[in-house]
Amino acid sequence: MSEIVKPEKKPIIFSGIQPSGTLTLGNYIGALKNFSVLQDDYDCIYCIVDMHAITVRQNPADLRRRCMELAAIYIASGLDPKKSLIYCQSHVTGHAELAWILNCFTYMGELNRMTQYKDKAAKHADNINAGLFTYPVLMAADILLFQTNMVPVGVDQKQHLELCRDVAQRFNGVYGDVFTIPEPYIAKVGSKIMSLQEPTRKMSKSDPEDTFVALLDDPDTIRRKIKRAVTDSDGEIRFDPENKPGVSNLLSIMSALGAGSIDSLVAELAGQGYGTLKTRTADCVIAALEPLQTEYKKLIADKGYLQGILDENAKTANYLANKTLRKVQKKVGFATRG
Ligand code: TRP
């Protein structure tokens, strides 16, 4: 049975990133940075979720290019494509097939409660499509196809993961232990990096350029964006996300990038001006992103290599996904395959 983890088998981690828009420092701190650390202790599966991306309108050429770029970014941030499975969601048909089945085990009321759906529906009022509504079901399928034990998600995805667990438990309740119930893996600091201009909102690649640091921004751009980050007027460097969201955000960024604990940073910077805080933050960010950017440039110049990895990994992912999918199809009573 799937939930019995054999001693030699490592727990499975699954995560997905949408190939839409630019990846930000928030994505790096909340997700990518953790990925490479995890790959020795877990079997890691990193999916480029192009099927999720089309829940909002995409330019086809851009979407295709971004999938490749994302593969390069995954590898550049330290993932070893031989150890971890990096592949495109649309190359593995099981995602769509399992999503359909899970749609039939998910209630409208559950999906109606999803805050991301409500946000996106408000933002894309001209295109509130059914895919946007059932987005969390596809995400549940992603996770459950691979008998995932842990999902490293930002806090904004926690609600989706809870839905995934509920649906899996519901299915298991009817048919026996088919799915492993996944647990969230949320980094303590840095799981929520805020916008540089509106520090009470999450840093998001879909907001204007000056609100985020992009993963591939050059040092001058990084310095300029951080220098312009919104702070407050009391001039004191102190960690207080509620009353001082801007300053606290910069401290969180530095701490997440390994500059020390928040307390030690506050002690170190006490009495200094925001100018110093921003210079220090920019230094940290530039130093953290530099190795990734160098590696990325090398990889993206070799499309053949990247395509080879995606093709190879899609085969493995299809094989693993089909093991779960066949079991599920049998349980629900789909016709026997000859
Ligand atoms: N919904 C996630 C996001 O927007 C991306 C995603 C899709 C995902 N499928 C996943 C994350 C499975 C974790 C596991 O960030």
Side-chain angles (χ1 to χ4, degrees):
M1 278 276 131
S2 55
E3 78 280 9
I4 300 173
V5 179
K6 292 189 205 112
E8 73 273 16
K9 216 180 140 211
K10 294 179 191 170
I12 296 167
I13 284 197
F14 182 99
S15 191
I17 294 193
Q18 292 199 43
S20 53
T22 326
L23 282 179
T24 71
L25 182 66
N27 297 118
Y28 178 71
I29 290 173
L32 289 163
K33 189 170 71 66
N34 304 322
F35 288 179
S36 63
V37 181
L38 296 168
Q39 71 181 343
D40 292 326
D41 299 328
Y42 299 89
D43 276 332
C44 295
I45 306 175
Y46 297 114
C47 185
I48 298 167
V49 293
D50 48 357
M51 290 163 65
H52 278 101
I54 64 160
T55 53
V56 300
R57 229 26 107 226
Q58 302 288 337
N59 173 301
D62 287 348
L63 181 60
R64 211 180 331 273
R65 179 177 44 79
R66 288 207 192 98
C67 286
M68 211 52 132
E69 290 172 355
L70 191 49
I73 283 176
Y74 273 137
I75 300 169
S77 48
L79 282 182
D80 178 349
K82 291 201 185 73
K83 272 195 213 160
S84 300
L85 201 57
I86 301 164
Y87 74 98
C88 289
Q89 187 182 31
S90 64
H91 293 177
V92 175
T93 54
H95 289 274
E97 293 179 80
L98 182 60
W100 175 255
I101 297 172
L102 296 181
N103 264 323
C104 304
F105 289 83
T106 307
Y107 299 117
M108 300 286 286
E110 288 177 307
L111 294 175
N112 257 324
R113 283 198 293 275
M114 296 292 121
T115 54
Q116 190 175 69
Y117 167 70
K118 288 188 232 174
D119 289 351
K120 284 201 182 174
K123 230 177 181 172
H124 304 277
D126 56 334
N127 182 20
I128 305 179
N129 61 72
L132 202 58
F133 189 62
T134 60
Y135 175 113
V137 184
L138 179 59
M139 179 164 159
D142 300 342
I143 296 165
L144 299 176
L145 262 185
F146 294 92
Q147 305 293 344
T148 302
N149 300 96
M150 272 169 55
V151 183
V153 285
V155 281
D156 66 310
Q157 293 297 315
K158 212 170 165 234
Q159 198 185 25
H160 289 165
L161 188 60
E162 263 150 29
L163 178 78
C164 170
R165 287 165 54 89
D166 289 345
V167 171
Q169 266 152 356
R170 184 171 304 143
F171 193 96
N172 284 357
V174 180
Y175 299 106
D177 286 333
V178 176
F179 295 124
T180 303
I181 308 299
E183 301 288 336
Y185 173 92
I186 297 179
K188 272 206 194 79
V189 184
S191 55
K192 205 165 183 189
I193 297 300
M194 313 308 274
S195 159
L196 296 176
Q197 292 300 318
E198 266 182 88
T200 49
R201 297 183 42 183
K202 195 188 150 194
M203 183 181 280
S204 167
K205 53 195 175 189
S206 38
D207 286 342
E209 262 287 318
D210 60 343
T211 65
F212 62 81
V213 172
L215 225 52
L216 302 174
D217 274 349
D218 59 49
D220 286 348
T221 308
I222 295 175
R223 246 177 238 293
R224 181 170 41 80
K225 285 180 177 175
I226 292 180
K227 199 162 266 165
R228 289 197 198 143
V230 166
T231 47
D232 53 55
S233 55
D234 79 9
E236 193 192 342
I237 298 179
R238 162 164 72 79
F239 188 74
D240 179 353
E242 202 155 306
N243 300 305
K244 297 173 69 67
V247 169
S248 304
N249 190 33
L250 297 180
L251 289 166
S252 295
I253 290 172
M254 275 199 277
S255 180
L257 294 177
S261 67
I262 301 260
D263 286 348
S264 72
L265 286 168
V266 170
E268 198 184 312
L269 291 162
Q272 312 247 30
Y274 289 164
T276 310
L277 171 69
K278 288 178 173 179
T279 308
R280 282 286 308 277
T281 308
D283 289 344
C284 281
V285 172
I286 291 165
L289 296 183
E290 204 260 344
L292 182 151
Q293 295 183 348
T294 307
E295 189 59 24
Y296 173 81
K297 282 179 199 139
K298 265 192 246 161
L299 289 162
I300 204 66
D302 192 351
K303 297 274 183 339
Y305 168 76
L306 290 172
Q307 188 67 57
I309 285 181
L310 292 178
D311 291 349
E312 203 49 46
N313 284 347
K315 279 187 211 150
T316 313
N318 267 303
Y319 169 79
L320 293 171
N322 281 341
K323 285 212 284 194
T324 302
L325 185 64
R326 298 294 171 249
K327 205 188 279 179
V328 171
Q329 289 171 329
K330 198 168 162 193
K331 289 286 186 188
V332 300
F334 284 178
T336 306
R337 287 164 187 255

